[in-house]
Amino acid sequence: MADDTTGLVHSIVEATTLESLLLNVPEGSTPHPASDAVEPETWRWDGSALVAIAPTIEALRSACWEAVKARRQAAEDGGCASPLGAVDTDQESRLKVSGAVQMAMIAQAANQPFTVDWTMHDDSVVKHDAAAMIAMGLAVGRHIAACHAVALAKRAAIDAAVNAADIAAVEVDHGWPA
């Protein structure tokens, strides 16, 4: 349905008969045939055909930033290298690493021994002493910080964009730490 004044498509109505279609036409609107690709608020009726409305720079920025945030999350959760091998870095794993690092630091402060068998990214089990556990924590922390640094650089490029081509030039999937 397109608004009679602005031509903006505001809703999609499916009808099997003309009668059922006309019963669903809001006042001030006119029905126009459309394909399944037509989305409300992104098309308008120009008097003879449906025409796609170009998204605003704000909408493009928002969509690009959402894509960057999703990619950042995937990079954060994708694992990282540590001195004794690759480790998981999803949110639950980061919490476990943090707890183990705290235990290692407490043991060091108390001059007590510390070891933990840690399941690595490849499912192997590697014994970590206090120094190795702390080094793993630092590696995970650096990995998360690097992911955020990449996202911040991409955010700056998005914010500086003045047109759709600038937004399209932001490489959402490239440059992330492994």
Side-chain angles (χ1 to χ4, degrees):
M1 298 295 164
D3 182 276
D4 288 339
T5 306
T6 65
L8 185 65
V9 173
H10 58 78
S11 62
I12 306 297
V13 175
E14 291 186 34
T16 55
T17 67
L18 179 58
E19 181 181 351
S20 66
L21 174 64
L22 294 176
L23 289 172
N24 289 299
V25 176
E27 190 173 325
S29 298
T30 304
H32 301 285
S35 72
D36 289 339
V38 174
E39 298 266 334
E41 309 299 324
T42 62
W43 293 78
R44 71 174 174 76
W45 181 256
D46 72 356
S48 61
L50 287 170
V51 179
I53 301 170
T56 65
I57 189 71
E58 292 81 17
L60 293 172
R61 280 188 184 117
S62 178
C64 190
W65 178 236
E66 289 303 316
V68 168
K69 289 191 302 185
R71 185 59 184 86
R72 178 190 65 205
Q73 189 65 51
E76 286 178 359
D77 291 348
C80 74
S82 77
L84 296 182
V87 295
D88 294 323
T89 58
D90 58 88
Q91 191 170 16
E92 183 179 349
S93 295
R94 293 192 306 261
L95 185 62
K96 290 175 182 177
V97 168
S98 179
V101 168
Q102 285 179 336
M103 289 178 8
M105 292 173 66
I106 291 167
Q108 274 189 336
N111 290 321
Q112 295 296 312
F114 175 88
T115 59
V116 63
D117 291 332
W118 199 266
T119 303
M120 306 298 281
H121 186 69
D122 65 359
D123 289 328
S124 64
V125 177
V126 176
K127 188 172 291 300
H128 285 66
D129 62 14
M133 195 67 237
I134 292 167
M136 180 198 295
L138 288 170
V140 170
R142 288 182 185 123
H143 172 75
I144 299 303
C147 291
H148 280 266
V150 171
L152 288 174
K154 291 181 187 300
R155 179 68 182 261
I158 292 166
D159 289 345
V162 295
N163 57 40
D166 292 344
I167 296 289
V170 175
E171 294 183 341
V172 171
D173 291 322
H174 300 290
W176 298 97

